[in-house]
Amino acid sequence: MAKILTEKQLYKAKVEWFKDNEYEEVDPLDFYREIFPVGSFQEQGNTERKSGNGMLVYKNEHGQHWHKLIFDDLAEIPNWYGIEDVYIRSASFIGKNTKNENASMIYALVFDLDGQGITELQMVTQFMRKGTNIPKATFVVLSGHGLHLYYVLEKPIRATMNNIRKLNKLKEGMTKLIWNRYTSNIEKIQFQYCLQGFRMVGSASKMGKRYPVRAYRFSDEHYTIEELVSWIPKLKEWDEYRIDMTERDTVPKDTAKKLWPDWYEYRINQGKSSKWHIKRDLYDWWKNKIVEGATYGHRYFCLMCLAIFAIKCDVSEEELKRDALELVPILDRLSNDTDPKSRFTEEDALCALHGYRDNFKTWGRDKLSLVSAIPMPPNKRNYRTRSEHLKGARALQEIYNPNWRNTEGRPSKKEQVKAWRLVNPNGKKIECHRDTGIDPKTIRKWWDN
C-alpha cells in the first residue's frame, strides 16, 4: 500500500520532481518581469505618463484585504517574500481599486488546478508536453497544495467590460479542458474569472514561509487569444467558448442615447445604479442551498455568492455577516481531517464576503452556479406552476391581441409562442417547449415571427 504523504511532504516531493525533470525555477522578479514587461506600469513619481499599475493584495493584522501599488520597477515585490496571503493579479488597474471597471490591461490568463498529487502533476505536464488537449503553459507555479498555469499573452489586451466577459468565457472553456479526472483528484471543477488574483511567487504558501510559492518555466510560448481559442474543440457544445475578440467592444454614447433613452437618462445623466431589487426569498433560498449542496473546494465561493445575493436582495451587511458565521461550522465539516489547513474558519468566511460590493451585482445565475458548483436551474415562472404561468401569458395576449384564437376557438401554435415570448422576453426555445409542450420545430418556425 502506497504511503500517504502529508501536505508538506507532498510539497517537497513536487519540488524534487521539478528538479529531477530539469524544469528551471524562475526568480520571482524575473517571473513578473516577463509577464509585465518594462513600460507596463506607471513610473513612481512620474505623473506625466498615464498608465495603470500592478496591484498587490495582502491581509492586514485585522484580516482585512488591503492593496499596494506595483510600479514599473517592480520594487514592491521583494518586500513581500515569505509573507502569507499575498496575491497579485495578472492585470493593471487605474487607481487603487480592483473593480472590473478600474482594470486597464490584461497580461496573462491564469488557471488554478487543485487536487494535485504527484500522479496528477505528472499527467498535466505530460499532456502539455505532448500537446494533447492542453496548450503548453509559459510557467507552472507550485502554489503549495496545487498548481497555477500561466499563459502569458503576446500582447496585453485592453480590459473593456466586453473583453472581460469574453475572456471569462474562454477561461471557462479552457478550465474544462485543463481540469479533468487525470489532472485533479477533485471531481468538481473550480472556475475563476480572468481578473482573479493568485498567490504571489516568492510569498509564503498556506504551509508557511519555509514552503514558498515557486515558479518553473515550462515553455517560451507567449500566446494570442486566437491561438488559445484554437484549443477549444470544434464541437457544437463548445461553440459558446470560441470567442471572437475582433468584434466591436462598445456602442458610442450618442448611439446609446438614441437606442436606450431611459437607460441613458438614469445611468449616464443621473448616474444611478442599474441594480435590480430582488425579493429576499432568493437570499434565503441560497442559504439553504449552501447547507444542502456546498462541497470542499467551493466553500469560499458559496459564501461569496451569498454576499452577492445579499446585495441583490438589499440584505444588510450586518445580517450577511451573522448568516455567514452561522454557516462556518457546517462548511467546516467538509474539511479533510488529516489536513489542519483544510479547516474552514470564521476568517475565511469574512474574507469571502468581499462579494458584498456593487461591482459584483451584475453576476448572473450561470456565473454564480459555475463558481459555487451548486446547480441553479432557471425558473422563468417566478415560482408559479406551469398552469398559473400560462394563464398569465394568455391574459396578456388577450390585452395585446384580442383576436389571437383561430376560427375553431383553440389558440394557434403561432400565437401561443408569441404569448410566451411576451411574458419571457429573455427566454430560450427549450424553456418555451417545456412550458407549452409545443414541438421544438414549431417553436423555431414562429420564434422570430
Side-chain angles (χ1 to χ4, degrees), residues 188 289-300 302 327-339 342-344 372 374:
K188 289 194 175 182
K289 294 298 287 185
I290 292 176
V291 175
E292 297 168 4
T295 53
Y296 180 81
H298 298 87
R299 299 173 293 183
Y300 174 91
C302 284
L327 289 167
V328 168
I330 297 170
L331 297 174
D332 188 44
R333 292 188 199 121
L334 301 173
S335 303
N336 182 351
D337 293 335
T338 62
D339 178 16
S342 72
R343 300 296 300 274
F344 195 80
S372 66
I374 295 179

Side-chain angles (χ1 to χ4, degrees), residues 11 15 25-29 31-32 55-59 70 76-89 141-146 148 150 197-216 341:
Y11 173 93
V15 172
E25 184 170 357
V26 183
D27 177 82
L29 277 178
F31 170 80
Y32 286 110
M55 196 68 73
L56 181 146
V57 180
Y58 67 98
K59 281 185 185 178
I70 301 175
E76 184 64 38
I77 290 175
N79 298 333
W80 299 88
Y81 289 170
I83 298 177
E84 291 189 42
D85 297 316
V86 182
Y87 304 85
I88 289 181
R89 303 182 185 225
V141 171
L142 177 58
S143 63
H145 295 158
H148 298 157
Y150 278 75
F198 293 89
R199 289 186 184 276
M200 187 192 91
V201 173
S203 69
S205 69
K206 283 185 177 180
M207 294 174 283
K209 64 181 180 181
R210 293 176 58 192
Y211 304 88
V213 179
R214 299 172 182 262
Y216 297 89
K341 289 290 186 178

Side-chain angles (χ1 to χ4, degrees), residues 253-261:
K253 282 188 177 181
D254 290 343
T255 304
K257 186 176 182 179
K258 295 175 182 177
L259 292 174
W260 309 295

